[in-house]
Amino acid sequence: MLLNCGQPIPLLRHTDVPPRVIENFILTGYRFPNYSLRDCLLSAFRPTNETGNFWTHFLPVFIFSYYFVEVFGWEGAPHGDTPFFYPMWNYFIGVFCLLMASSMAHLLNSMSLVVREVCFFVDYGTISAYTVGSSLAYYYYIHPRAGIVETEGLNGSHMDSKHEPAGVDASSYAIPDFSVFFETFYIPCACVVAIICVLSCCNTRQRWRKHRYVIRTLVFLLPFLVSSTPVFYRLLTRSPYSASSSSFAASTSTSIFFYRHCLWLLVSAIFNISKFPERLAPGCFDIWGHSHQWFHCCTFLSILDELHMIKAEVRAILLSPTLLLPPATLSRLPGPTIASTYGVMLLLQTTIISIIVWFSWHANCIYGPQRDQLAKEHPKKRLKCH
């Protein structure tokens, strides 16, 4: 909030703000929850206890975009609006919305207690949408049958083994017990789990408050396990590419990027639950260096390694032109379509928005009266300049 003389009023201690706003072990740097939109935007350039939280997810939007667009400049890559890249664009949408919603939630949450709740409901929703965006990319680029084209032979259908190791039947790559899951239930399961995560995390803002950080962290472990199933499969079985092919060389880095992706997720979870380092020295990391900023940094590094992993698999497919899967190809894995990518995300987003609207209405019933009371008890101060 700015005074009429153009100077910002002092930030507040944890004893001067509503209990709902207080973060564990953060003692200073608070903004009172009655800022205007303009005041919130200007606070991005002030050292508050939310400034680092904003920038650690806002700046990564540009870093992620820089690495993302590289794939469209590769030799042999189809045009960016072709069906082959539909899953990539859905993945981009998921990551972009996650980073922007997170940064805006931290920047705008001081407008009121109700707005604060809505901001973080949207934040949880975009995290869930991101997991489904990742699942779509995994499904079409890291699926157990990705890049294996089924053609019609004289004796019926068979798998094109031109690029497979000699003497190995293509069907040996797929574990029969998993074929139904991958081809029928994988994407629906990812969507259902994402919806469960939104419901659970939104509930932690209205109940289960004591263990909210542990619950949120554990809840998002489930979509990671479900969406990463194709990667686990790839790591536990042999590559679908011949060991002498350029596609095999391009895909060898997949495991490294995935392990790093998991490592950064683990470190981010530790920061989010432990509240280290501010737990050791309350008040010393209020503005810079507290756990949520490190949590943001680690989650972005995990996303960046995930992007590199997906790009490695995309390059592997592009290096085998005969294995590229357009929608018309008779393959075990149908090519991406608008309905199977954008349609899935649209349906999911509609469901998530409905959940957010319901929780927002409930939050307004709880905090609306408190907002009005706070407006009376703490009117915007206008001090004179001397």
Side-chain angles (χ1 to χ4, degrees):
M1 185 190 313
L2 296 180
L3 303 179
N4 62 350
C5 56
Q7 297 179 352
I9 64 172
L11 298 173
L12 306 175
R13 292 184 57 82
H14 67 291
T15 54
D16 302 322
V17 295
R20 187 66 175 179
V21 179
I22 299 174
E23 297 291 341
N24 295 337
F25 312 109
I26 302 296
L27 306 184
T28 62
Y30 288 97
R31 300 169 297 172
F32 199 83
N34 62 351
Y35 274 39
S36 66
L37 176 61
R38 177 175 177 272
D39 294 334
C40 287
L41 296 176
L42 290 176
S43 69
F45 305 97
R46 292 186 62 196
T48 75
N49 56 27
E50 292 282 21
T51 303
N53 295 335
F54 166 75
W55 289 108
T56 49
H57 262 181
F58 183 72
L59 291 179
V61 171
F62 303 97
I63 300 173
F64 177 83
S65 300
Y66 171 80
Y67 285 106
F68 176 82
V69 298
E70 284 184 340
V71 68
F72 304 111
W74 288 345
E75 183 178 355
H79 196 271
D81 60 358
T82 58
F84 177 78
F85 281 126
Y86 286 172
M88 281 294 287
W89 281 115
N90 277 267
Y91 174 65
F92 176 83
I93 291 171
V95 174
F96 178 83
C97 290
L98 181 155
L99 296 176
M100 287 300 296
S102 174
S103 57
M104 290 298 110
H106 287 289
L107 186 63
L108 304 179
N109 66 54
S110 63
M111 293 181 68
S112 73
L113 292 179
V114 175
V115 171
R116 180 182 179 85
E117 297 300 298
V118 174
C119 282
F120 290 110
F121 292 155
V122 173
D123 190 17
Y124 305 145
T126 55
I127 294 174
S128 295
Y130 151 73
T131 63
V132 174
S134 298
S135 298
L136 288 170
Y138 290 176
Y139 183 75
Y140 286 105
Y141 304 132
I142 316 180
H143 187 285
R145 307 307 294 165
I148 306 299
V149 179
E150 188 172 13
T151 58
E152 285 292 328
L154 296 175
N155 298 323
S157 63
H158 66 280
M159 304 306 294
D160 183 1
S161 59
K162 177 180 179 181
H163 292 267
E164 298 176 4
V168 179
D169 184 9
S171 62
S172 65
Y173 290 131
I175 301 175
D177 293 341
F178 284 110
S179 61
V180 174
F181 170 75
F182 281 128
E183 298 174 13
T184 307
F185 297 111
Y186 173 65
I187 295 300
C189 282
C191 292
V192 170
V193 169
I195 293 171
I196 292 173
C197 288
V198 176
L199 290 169
S200 301
C201 289
C202 288
N203 262 310
T204 62
R205 299 200 68 83
Q206 299 179 354
R207 54 178 68 93
W208 314 328
R209 291 280 299 169
K210 183 177 180 180
H211 305 290
R212 60 189 183 278
Y213 296 111
V214 175
I215 293 173
R216 292 170 194 166
T217 302
L218 294 179
V219 159
F220 281 112
L221 177 63
L222 182 58
F224 165 75
L225 294 175
V226 173
S227 64
S228 299
T229 306
V231 187
F232 294 142
Y233 184 99
R234 176 63 65 85
L235 296 177
L236 295 174
T237 58
R238 65 195 313 161
S239 171
Y241 305 107
S242 170
S244 60
S245 68
S246 55
S247 293
F248 180 86
S251 66
T252 53
S253 60
T254 295
S255 59
I256 298 175
F257 287 127
F258 181 70
Y259 293 142
R260 283 169 40 177
H261 170 66
C262 295
L263 174 62
W264 289 122
L265 286 178
L266 176 61
V267 175
S268 68
I270 292 174
F271 276 119
N272 197 38
I273 295 175
S274 68
K275 297 303 168 187
F276 177 88
E278 65 267 21
R279 177 185 291 271
L280 302 180
C284 294
F285 300 95
D286 291 349
I287 307 301
W288 303 108
H290 59 75
S291 61
H292 204 80
Q293 294 170 9
W294 292 113
F295 167 73
H296 276 194
C297 292
C298 292
T299 53
F300 173 65
L301 289 173
S302 75
I303 291 173
L304 203 57
D305 278 325
E306 180 185 50
L307 172 64
H308 290 318
M309 174 183 68
I310 294 172
K311 286 169 62 177
E313 290 300 318
V314 170
R315 181 182 285 275
I317 296 176
L318 292 176
L319 288 173
S320 299
T322 59
L323 302 185
L324 203 58
L325 299 179
T329 303
L330 295 175
S331 63
R332 290 292 298 276
L333 176 61
T337 63
I338 292 179
S340 66
T341 53
Y342 294 106
V344 169
M345 285 292 281
L346 179 61
L347 182 61
L348 175 72
Q349 294 282 22
T350 302
T351 305
I352 289 176
I353 290 172
S354 300
I355 295 172
I356 292 172
V357 169
W358 189 88
F359 275 100
S360 299
W361 173 82
H362 195 250
N364 186 62
C365 293
I366 298 174
Y367 300 109
Q370 295 184 31
R371 173 192 57 200
D372 299 336
Q373 184 65 26
L374 288 173
K376 295 178 181 179
E377 295 177 356
H378 301 270
K380 292 186 177 182
K381 299 179 180 179
R382 298 292 177 182
L383 302 181
K384 295 181 179 179
C385 299
H386 297 285

